[in-house]
Amino acid sequence: KGLSKFDPETGTFRNYDVEDGLQSNEFLSGAAYKSRTGELMFGGPNGFNIFDPKKIKDNLSIPPVVITDFQIFNHPVSIGGDSPLQQHISFTKQLTLSYQDSVFSFEFVTLNYISPQKNQYAYKMAGVDKEWVYVDSTRRFATYTNLDAGDYVFQVKGSNNDGIWNEEGTSLKITIIPPWWETTAFRVATLLLIVLIVFGGFRLRIRTIEGQKRQLEIQVVERTKDLEIAKDKAEVANQAKSTFLANMSHELRTPLNAILGFAQLMQRSRALPQEHQDNVKIINRSGEYLLSLINNVLDMSKIEAGKITLNTQNVDLHSLLDEVHDIFYLKAETKQLQLLVERGDKVPHYISTDATKLRQVLVNLLSNALKFTQEGGVSLYVNQISTQPQPSKGEEEAKEITLHFRVEDTGAGIAEEELDKVFEAFGQTATGRASQEGTGLGLPISRKFVQLMGGDITVQSELGKGTAFEFGIRALVVSAAEIVSQSVVRQVIALEANQPRYRILIVDDNRDNRLLLIKLLNPLDFELREADNGQEAIEIWENWQPHLIWMDIRMPVMDGVQATQHIKATASGQKTVIIALTASTFYEEESGVLSAGCDDFLRKPFRDNKIFELMHKHIGVRYVYEEETDTASKEETLDSLTPEALRALPRELLTQMQQAAIDLDTDLIQSLIDQVRLQNEPLANALAQLAHNFQYDYLLKLIEQAQT
């Protein structure tokens, strides 16, 4: 890094490099000589330097500092007329700006022409910046946005190439004029108008109340006679409410189920481009959410009528928890909240329970937690707390377990006097009413679902500290073989032979994000290292020279843009591939990330196939893929679905299934399929596949053929 001069009296160093006249920043070991006259000689790869150290003097000249440019919304400001500048900015001592000039910038320079690239700067807006902001010669500008109306002073100072500072610098007074609606005159006039309106309204209200009092006295006698009639009508209306809600919800569910069915069919098409698959997934998720809202109303009417039932099925519990996490990941990230989903070591992978109701309970609780939490985070903990052997229909015994779920947040909390009301239908706490969100049905429905699954739900809360909901359910442990896979994906399982062992550096201040990439890449035998800020990443890069860096953009200490610029400024850094990981709108634009020096960028949340794709694109990694599963088994299952097979079923069962298909009653259809499974399992599997794909028209056609 050049030559360094040490002063033993002051204990300080001064470094010289090629910009000070050295032949190179590198010198050969031992190539040093001191002459009799005191001159020093040093040899390097491009020649040698000879000089008398006594004659080397620092530049002690204090350089002037000048503001050279002023811009509003990144456009130069003209001089004269209605412009805030009446003379050049370098001669201006005071500026008056409108509140509409919400983004303005200054450019400044130190008038030192000896190695000007070594000049240093510091600026501060008195009233805004608490400390001086230090920058080098590549960032000779300062930008301020959305300042409140008032008086400010912009100050800037600078140093020459030898670090001699002009501490006095230069300054500019700035006055920002408030909008008319924030002026004192407007506020006084508004206050007077409000007083007049209130006084006039009060007098008018008094006269109205007196008139209403006289009218009410006349109506009391008449209303007393109507009370009995109104009571009878209220009872009839209350009985009709459940029927109306059920019918109305059904009419809404019918077209929505068709939309979801076709969306899921499109999602399963292998010919559909990835972009359209993503769009279909968004449609499907949005439709599922809308369907859950409609089902809330329908479920409430079923609960009131006592017709809600439990529909158990085998489910991958770990995947269900991951799915719930993915649903709320973006919402938590948008609100800058931590979302944690953890399961105990004893929690089984596969269980038999009503997965739909369990998912709805978790979605309701997590949605409420995120809605009323503004800082901190939301956590879901799952543990197994008991096991009890239960006799099964076969020779083996199925284990019945009790699973404990806890959803806690660091949100606004619930007052103690309102805790008993949170599970009442259409009831909301003061916090819920203030947010003006929700219907007040989620928690009552969740409690009923948990009770159906063999448990109950409780709540603990404290205002200002957060809320915790806990519930337990009973379920049976099943094996992986009893879980029907709904999708087959082509996955990377290894690296092709005869490749270098790639060095990959993962830089992210979020430990979970780093861990995700480590778990994804570690099984493929990549050589991995991690850093939690840009400064640490630079240190690892200098000593390790990775092939590729996954660089998060927003980090403490040093962000990803600064670290990338530092690395790419070197010759060896140009050979290192840097791919940005970003979810921030500040760095969202691709051009902005690439201009900082990144070779590519990837938005969070990311998919594993995109990670592998970018690594192949930039450093040539080649993979071995898992072979796709043959579809013959599905075709064999559907072959068993014939009118003859349906004709063998009891006529009453077939009639119920026909009506359920017409009504699109998915719960009843699943219950009837479970009855078919006791008689003909291949036929039940085929019917389940039709129901999963919402192919009710085809099912009705087969039933009609079986009945003829």
Side-chain angles (χ1 to χ4, degrees):
K1 296 184 177 180
L3 296 178
S4 295
K5 177 180 69 176
F6 175 66
D7 187 339
E9 295 181 357
T10 62
T12 59
F13 282 92
R14 168 66 195 277
N15 192 70
Y16 299 90
D17 56 24
V18 292
E19 295 178 352
D20 297 300
L22 298 183
Q23 52 82 35
S24 170
N25 282 343
E26 297 183 1
F27 290 87
L28 303 179
S29 176
Y33 177 74
K34 180 178 181 181
S35 70
R36 295 179 179 178
T37 59
E39 292 180 319
L40 300 180
M41 302 181 187
F42 296 94
N46 297 326
F48 66 90
N49 289 93
I50 178 169
F51 57 89
D52 187 344
K54 298 179 181 179
K55 296 180 179 180
I56 297 177
K57 304 295 183 181
D58 287 338
N59 179 8
L60 300 179
S61 174
I62 299 177
V65 181
V66 179
I67 299 175
T68 59
D69 192 18
F70 172 63
Q71 295 184 354
I72 296 177
F73 290 106
N74 295 324
H75 293 289
V77 179
S78 60
I79 299 176
D82 295 332
S83 172
L85 279 181
Q86 297 301 311
Q87 56 182 340
H88 193 271
I89 188 64
S90 59
F91 301 106
T92 300
K93 298 300 181 182
Q94 183 168 356
L95 272 177
T96 300
L97 301 177
S98 166
Y99 72 94
Q100 296 176 328
D101 302 327
S102 57
V103 179
F104 56 88
S105 307
F106 298 100
E107 187 173 337
F108 38 82
V109 68
T110 295
L111 301 182
N112 169 63
Y113 303 101
I114 301 175
S115 297
Q117 66 274 14
K118 291 189 175 183
N119 294 347
Q120 299 291 316
Y121 301 88
Y123 64 86
K124 178 172 68 173
M125 181 72 79
V128 177
D129 300 320
K130 295 182 179 179
E131 304 291 340
W132 288 94
V133 179
Y134 288 86
V135 295
D136 57 25
S137 60
T138 64
R139 293 177 56 85
R140 297 182 296 101
F141 58 87
T143 300
Y144 292 91
T145 61
N146 298 320
L147 296 186
D148 295 332
D151 296 322
Y152 303 90
V153 178
F154 177 70
Q155 301 170 283
V156 59
K157 60 183 181 179
S159 74
N160 65 14
N161 59 301
D162 284 328
I164 303 301
W165 283 86
N166 181 342
E167 295 291 346
E168 181 177 355
T170 187
S171 62
L172 178 64
K173 295 182 179 180
I174 301 171
T175 299
I176 298 179
I177 301 174
W180 60 269
W181 60 84
E182 290 185 2
T183 59
T184 302
F186 176 78
R187 290 174 177 173
V188 171
T190 302
L191 180 60
L192 291 175
L193 179 60
I194 292 174
V195 171
L196 290 175
I197 292 174
V198 171
F199 179 75
F202 176 75
R203 293 295 303 271
L204 179 62
R205 182 61 178 166
I206 292 297
R207 289 196 297 268
T208 302
I209 291 175
E210 291 175 349
Q212 289 177 345
K213 181 179 179 182
R214 291 189 296 269
Q215 185 66 26
L216 285 175
E217 291 174 350
I218 299 173
Q219 293 179 350
V220 165
V221 177
E222 298 177 357
R223 291 296 178 91
T224 302
K225 298 177 181 179
D226 296 336
L227 283 178
E228 292 297 327
I229 299 175
K231 181 180 178 182
D232 295 337
K233 290 182 178 180
E235 291 178 353
V236 173
N238 189 50
Q239 293 175 356
K241 181 184 66 175
S242 296
T243 303
F244 169 79
L245 291 176
N247 292 337
M248 199 55 163
S249 299
H250 178 271
E251 292 301 321
L252 293 173
R253 285 203 331 169
T254 300
L256 185 58
N257 278 339
I259 293 172
L260 288 174
F262 282 108
Q264 292 178 6
L265 287 177
M266 293 175 65
Q267 190 174 337
R268 289 177 175 79
S269 173
R270 296 184 179 179
L272 201 63
Q274 182 64 42
E275 178 184 358
H276 292 267
Q277 289 184 4
D278 293 341
N279 293 338
V280 171
K281 289 178 181 177
I282 294 174
I283 294 172
N284 192 58
R285 287 199 300 268
S286 300
E288 290 288 356
Y289 179 71
L290 179 57
L291 182 60
S292 68
L293 295 179
I294 296 172
N295 285 340
N296 277 346
V297 179
L298 182 59
D299 290 336
M300 200 64 217
S301 65
K302 286 185 177 180
I303 290 172
E304 291 178 350
K307 296 181 179 179
I308 198 74
T309 59
L310 198 64
N311 181 22
T312 60
Q313 56 184 298
N314 297 337
V315 61
D316 185 337
L317 179 60
H318 291 190
S319 296
L320 187 149
L321 295 174
D322 293 339
E323 175 188 341
V324 171
H325 175 274
D326 293 342
I327 290 174
F328 295 101
Y329 172 79
L330 285 178
K331 183 175 182 180
E333 188 177 66
T334 301
K335 298 183 69 173
Q336 298 182 345
L337 299 175
Q338 182 183 18
L339 177 61
L340 185 64
V341 177
E342 288 188 354
R343 56 179 181 265
D345 296 334
K346 295 182 180 180
V347 173
H349 203 136
Y350 309 104
I351 63 172
S352 176
T353 187
D354 192 324
T356 302
K357 291 182 175 57
L358 176 58
R359 183 185 293 104
Q360 185 170 343
V361 172
L362 294 176
V363 167
N364 282 340
L365 295 179
L366 288 172
S367 177
N368 285 342
L370 287 170
K371 184 191 307 180
F372 301 118
T373 301
Q374 304 304 323
E375 60 182 16
V378 175
S379 303
L380 166 61
Y381 302 98
V382 187
N383 287 291
Q384 178 182 330
I385 59 176
S386 68
T387 302
Q388 181 178 358
Q390 293 291 324
S392 63
K393 298 177 182 178
E395 297 179 357
E396 299 180 352
E397 286 186 339
K399 289 193 303 182
E400 182 184 85
I401 62 171
T402 298
L403 292 173
H404 177 262
F405 298 78
R406 178 181 174 89
V407 176
E408 62 182 31
D409 61 66
T410 58
I414 305 171
E416 183 177 356
E417 61 270 18
E418 293 185 312
L419 288 177
D420 294 334
K421 302 178 182 179
V422 296
F423 295 111
E424 295 178 1
F426 302 102
Q428 289 185 309
T429 63
T431 304
R433 291 190 296 271
S435 70
Q436 297 182 349
E437 295 182 19
T439 61
L441 293 176
L443 289 177
I445 292 173
S446 297
R447 183 173 217 175
K448 184 62 179 179
F449 285 176
V450 170
Q451 291 171 347
L452 283 172
M453 290 184 282
D456 201 354
I457 187 169
T458 60
V459 58
Q460 298 175 344
S461 185
E462 186 175 352
L463 279 177
K465 294 187 177 181
T467 305
F469 286 88
E470 294 183 89
F471 67 93
I473 65 168
R474 290 199 297 268
L476 294 177
V477 178
V478 298
S479 65
E482 298 175 84
I483 302 295
V484 179
S485 177
Q486 296 183 359
S487 61
V488 178
V489 293
R490 190 167 180 256
Q491 296 181 343
V492 172
I493 59 175
L495 299 182
E496 287 188 9
N498 301 321
Q499 295 188 84
R501 192 180 185 202
Y502 294 100
R503 297 183 297 276
I504 310 296
L505 175 59
I506 301 169
V507 187
D508 199 311
D509 62 318
N510 187 294
R511 180 181 177 276
D512 292 340
N513 290 340
R514 299 198 307 272
L515 186 60
L516 176 61
L517 280 173
I518 290 173
K519 287 187 175 182
L520 178 64
L521 300 177
N522 196 47
L524 301 181
D525 201 32
F526 289 106
E527 190 173 351
L528 305 175
R529 288 195 182 180
E530 55 180 307
D532 60 8
N533 61 70
Q535 184 63 51
E536 186 179 346
I538 292 175
E539 296 173 359
I540 296 176
W541 169 80
E542 290 175 343
N543 299 316
W544 194 48
Q545 293 295 307
H547 296 90
L548 183 144
I549 301 176
W550 292 104
M551 181 75 74
D552 186 31
I553 294 301
R554 286 196 174 184
M555 296 179 292
V557 183
M558 178 184 288
D559 63 32
V561 169
Q562 294 173 318
T564 299
Q565 291 173 338
H566 180 94
I567 293 173
K568 289 295 186 179
T570 66
S572 58
Q574 294 292 328
K575 301 177 183 179
T576 303
V577 174
I578 301 179
I579 302 178
L581 296 173
T582 175
S584 170
T585 55
F586 188 81
Y587 296 103
E588 192 66 24
E589 293 297 330
E590 178 180 359
S591 58
V593 174
L594 297 180
S595 64
C598 294
D599 299 277
D600 213 326
F601 81 110
L602 184 61
R603 291 186 178 90
K604 299 176 183 177
F606 46 75
R607 295 181 175 85
D608 55 357
N609 63 323
K610 190 62 177 178
I611 293 290
F612 295 133
E613 176 185 333
L614 289 176
M615 294 177 69
H616 170 72
K617 172 183 176 182
H618 291 285
I619 60 177
V621 183
R622 303 186 306 277
Y623 309 101
V624 177
Y625 293 93
E626 180 183 41
E627 294 185 1
E628 296 187 4
T629 304
D630 190 6
T631 60
S633 59
K634 288 186 177 180
E635 295 175 356
E636 181 180 350
T637 298
L638 290 176
D639 288 342
S640 63
L641 186 58
T642 63
E644 291 74 16
L646 291 174
R647 195 174 292 124
L649 297 175
R651 176 168 292 274
E652 182 181 356
L653 177 60
L654 205 58
T655 302
Q656 291 178 348
M657 185 175 297
Q658 182 182 32
Q659 187 60 43
I662 294 174
D663 294 338
L664 294 177
D665 192 334
T666 56
D667 292 338
L668 180 56
I669 288 176
Q670 185 59 49
S671 177
L672 296 173
I673 291 174
D674 291 340
Q675 297 181 37
V676 175
R677 195 177 304 280
L678 300 177
Q679 305 177 35
N680 188 335
E681 185 168 356
L683 177 59
N685 292 336
L687 290 171
Q689 188 170 336
L690 283 184
H692 180 74
N693 294 328
F694 295 90
Q695 294 177 281
Y696 295 132
D697 290 342
Y698 182 52
L699 176 58
L700 287 172
K701 182 179 179 180
L702 290 174
I703 294 176
E704 290 175 0
Q705 293 176 0
Q707 291 175 335
T708 58

